[in-house]
């Protein structure tokens, strides 16, 4: 009886060994790969025994799952931040490229090119036009009567640019140039009885008086000036002091010149006899405000090299995040192999 039992027990052991040989080979291969990935060797027997307890296995499984989810979340977060930075960088570059900013600089000069002052007196008569310096205008002598002048004046007639049937007459005066000496031009007009409700003289400023004198067709030149420059007025019974400043604006394809002005109005104390007061007097002074030319340029602030550097940093972050994800996957595979190894040892102990 004992011999039969021993033979049966030996047969059972032989059958069990044959059935588990393939599983044992698989787990042995997993153990060898784990030992190759761990340079410090395999796990000690005490650790295996400690890990074999149900409570330790449960806590380690929860911890592994928690770290796995956390690492995946960090990877996704880093990827989202990198993609957002890349999108924001490209959007900012395109926005700055399509919307250049204005750069304002001031250029100091000793003198200006004499501007052109086009006056439209209508029924008014030019009584005098003289140059003065250092902001000084001598007292008026016989106001309302023609006086000698020293201004360069040309008379031109042309048809307006907006209504071809309206003929206009303009007195084009050579403006002041010596801004250091505060050169100014003082003009006096007289108008006898007007049918209009308000009496005023219109004037226009353009960049260079020499452009007008050198023009072959002065009428066409004045038409173009009226299209491109603004009109101002000064009223009768007052002295209007106009201080001019020049502004050059450089666009994407062309350059424009415009005048900005500040005007001060002072009432004229008319001391003439009552018989002469029917002639209304106009006084105008033209002077440069300061020796600076304001230059406005459009500047594209988008720097392609700066954007390329930011994108390189973003792609490097994506590369690091991908490398981090790769290490995370390797770590998960390593934990899985360790779990299979422990399970194989449990099966061996049972058999």
């Amino acid at each position: 009886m004992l011999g039969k039992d021993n033979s049966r027990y030996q047969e059972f052991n032989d059958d069990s060994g044959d059935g588990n040989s393939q599983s044992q080979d698989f787990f042995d291969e997993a153990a060898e790969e784990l030992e190759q990935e761990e340079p410090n060797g395999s796990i000690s027997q005490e650790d295996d025994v400690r890990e074999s307890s149900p409570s330790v296995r449960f806590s380690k499984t929860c911890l592994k799952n928690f770290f796995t989810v956390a690492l995946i979340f960090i990877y996704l977060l880093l990827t989202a931040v990198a993609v957002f930075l890349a999108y924001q960088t490209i959007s900012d570059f395109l926005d700055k490229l399509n919307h250049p900013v204005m750069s304002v600089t001031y250029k100091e000069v000793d003198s200006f090119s004499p501007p052109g002052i086009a006056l439209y007196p209508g029924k008014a008569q030019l009584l005098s036009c003289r140059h003065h310096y250092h902001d000084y205008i001598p007292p008026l002598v016989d106001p309302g009567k023609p006086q000698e002048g020293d201004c360069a004046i040309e008379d031109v007639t042309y048809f307006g640019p907006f209504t071809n049937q309206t003929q206009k007459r303009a007195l084009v005066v050579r403006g002041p140039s010596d801004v250091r000496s505060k050169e100014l031009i003082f003009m006096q007009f007289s108008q006898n009885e007007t049918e209009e409700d308000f009496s005023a003289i219109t004037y226009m400023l353009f960049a260079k008086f020499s452009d007008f004198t050198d023009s072959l067709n002065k009428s066409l030149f004045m038409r173009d000036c009226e299209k491109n420059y603004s009109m101002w007025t000064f009223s009768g019974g007052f002295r209007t002091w106009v201080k001019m400043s020049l502004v050059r604006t450089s666009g994407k394809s062309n350059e424009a010149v415009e005048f900005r002005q500040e005007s001060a109005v002072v009432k004229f104390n008319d001391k003439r006899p009552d018989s002469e007061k029917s002639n209304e007097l106009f006084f105008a002074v033209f002077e440069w405000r300061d020796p600076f030319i304001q230059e406005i340029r459009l500047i594209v602030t988008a720097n392609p090299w700066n954007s390329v550097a930011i994108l390189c940093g973003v792609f490097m972050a994506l590369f690091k995040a991908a490398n981090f994800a790769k290490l995370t996957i390797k770590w998960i595979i390593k934990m899985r192999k360790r779990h299979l190894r422990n399970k194989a040892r449990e099966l061996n102990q049972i058999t």
Side-chain angles (χ1 to χ4, degrees), residues 87-208:
Y87 171 78
Q88 192 68 25
T89 301
I90 297 174
S91 299
D92 292 343
F93 177 78
L94 294 177
D95 183 69
K96 292 179 180 179
L97 188 63
N98 295 326
H99 299 87
V101 298
M102 296 177 61
S103 173
V104 180
T105 58
Y106 291 89
K107 180 182 178 182
E108 187 175 3
V109 296
D110 294 329
S111 63
F112 290 93
S113 297
I117 304 173
L119 300 117
Y120 301 87
K123 296 181 180 181
Q125 178 185 1
L126 177 63
L127 299 178
S128 66
C129 177
R130 294 189 63 85
H131 288 262
H132 300 284
Y133 296 89
H134 305 292
D135 287 342
Y136 175 73
I137 299 176
L140 295 177
V141 179
D142 294 333
K145 295 181 179 180
Q147 300 174 6
E148 293 183 0
D150 57 0
C151 297
I153 303 175
E154 292 197 24
D155 197 336
V156 60
T157 57
Y158 66 96
F159 289 96
F162 306 107
T163 55
N164 292 329
Q165 297 179 355
T166 303
Q167 188 174 14
K168 293 186 175 183
R169 172 179 172 265
L171 297 176
V172 183
V173 181
R174 183 180 183 273
S177 61
D178 192 353
V179 64
R180 296 294 182 180
S181 299
K182 294 186 177 181
E183 180 186 4
L184 58 87
I185 290 179
F186 177 67
M187 289 183 286
Q188 181 182 174
F189 292 85
S190 173
Q191 184 175 3
N192 185 13
E193 293 183 2
T194 177
E195 298 177 355
E196 299 178 357
D197 295 331
F198 303 95
S199 57
I201 293 177
T202 304
Y203 67 94
M204 177 182 63
L205 303 174
F206 57 89
K208 293 181 180 180

Side-chain angles (χ1 to χ4, degrees), residues 154-160 167-168 172 206 208-226:
E154 292 197 24
D155 197 336
V156 60
T157 57
Y158 66 96
F159 289 96
Q167 188 174 14
K168 293 186 175 183
V172 183
F206 57 89
K208 293 181 180 180
F209 181 77
S210 60
D211 293 341
F212 170 76
T213 56
D214 297 339
S215 176
L216 298 178
N217 190 340
K218 294 181 173 57
S219 298
L220 181 60
F221 178 84
M222 292 303 299
R223 283 171 57 92
D224 294 336
C225 286
E226 189 172 344

